[in-house]
Amino acid sequence: MPQEPTLNQRIVLVSRPQGAPTPENFRLERVNLPELADGQVLLKTLYLSLDPYMRGRMSDAPSYAAPVEIDDVMTGGAVSRIEQSRNPKFEVGDLVVGSTGWQSHSISDGRNLMPVPKGLASPSMALGVLGMPGMTAYMGLMDIGQPKTGETLVVAAASGAVGSVVGQVAKLKGLRVIGIAGGADKCRYVVDELGFDACIDHKSAEFADELAQACSEGIDIYFENVGGKVFDAVVPLLNPKARIPLCGLIAGYNAHEAPTGPDRLPALQRTLLTKRVRIQGFIVFDDYGDRQPEFLSAMAPWVRDGKIKFREDVVDGLEQAPEAFIGLLEGRNFGKLVVRVAQD
């Protein structure tokens, strides 16, 4: 007797945003999923990760990954539970991580699904400190930043999923760590809870001067998540042979025209040349996917022992994903942003 079809709720891209995304760029749909074929599994989404890179996927400009097509499900990583299985590698009840998108259910052939590590306080940690953001922080810092005891590191978006891990790992490696965050509450959290040496509020009218005072001996590593005026304030403070892991540029993700004002490129190029600064962009799974065991072997004990702390910003309900994502690009979230789609 055939099974009842599974009703899937999904959020699709309706139109490409001009500037900042709006709710009108998304649509919530309900569709029936087909029955499983041999080798497939039915996944029920528990937690959906919302991340800044998704803004780039909404545009059709050339990039490192194909854009989301109009009327297709928004892309995104998620923790899911196996509801049905016709694949011998997976059992009903298994928790897995995969790029299954903004939807309540999905069907997979099992490729690119990874088991959620055992013993986590919440499965959602596999989307944050022990997932893509944590791995981004660790590999970018260790491989490109090459931290050395006694150096000064500055990290933008310091209270976020990536920046918070960057700073804490750097402290464990013996560096002086300066965070940059938006607002007094986030800056207090970065210093009082995460243990950074200082945190500068980029909303301050005196931001550039305050950053310079905090970095009196210059900057050896700048972990870039933001761009914009934050990067402008950092460049004059870079020490000779500074390293810049280039992870993200969220300040410009909603821009749809070239910035106005003087051309700052020649001054930047001169700084990079005369100070022999190394700046390297990276895409974590493309560049370091084969080193995930290395990341987990280092990070999991730190998390277990309380040496790396993390904070989640949890939103309930798949239908809330568009508004939560819009808020992410505006800096309204505090910690790793996840949507709880179903109870775990």
Side-chain angles (χ1 to χ4, degrees), residues 212-232:
Q213 292 172 13
C215 302
S216 58
E217 297 184 4
I219 299 171
D220 300 296
I221 305 171
Y222 173 55
F223 198 104
E224 176 63 291
N225 293 314
V226 173
K229 70 173 186 178
V230 173
F231 185 66
D232 290 344

Side-chain angles (χ1 to χ4, degrees), residues 21 25 55 63 96 125 226 245 285 294 298 300 315 326 329 343:
N25 296 129
R55 175 59 183 86
S63 186
V96 295
M125 292 170 62
V226 173
F285 286 128
E294 172 188 340
V315 175
I326 292 168
L329 297 176
Q343 296 296 323

Side-chain angles (χ1 to χ4, degrees), residues 2 5 20 31 93 130 141 145 155 219 225 253 290 303 307 313 321 339:
V31 298
L130 294 177
L141 174 62
V155 57
I219 299 171
N225 293 314
Y253 285 173
D290 60 338
V303 173
K307 294 180 179 180
D313 191 335
V339 177

Side-chain angles (χ1 to χ4, degrees), residues 68 77 87 98 110 138 141 161 165 167 210 217 224 252 260 299-300 337:
V68 177
N87 185 318
Y138 181 83
L141 174 62
V165 175
E210 292 170 0
E217 297 184 4
E224 176 63 291
T260 59
M299 189 64 64
L337 183 60

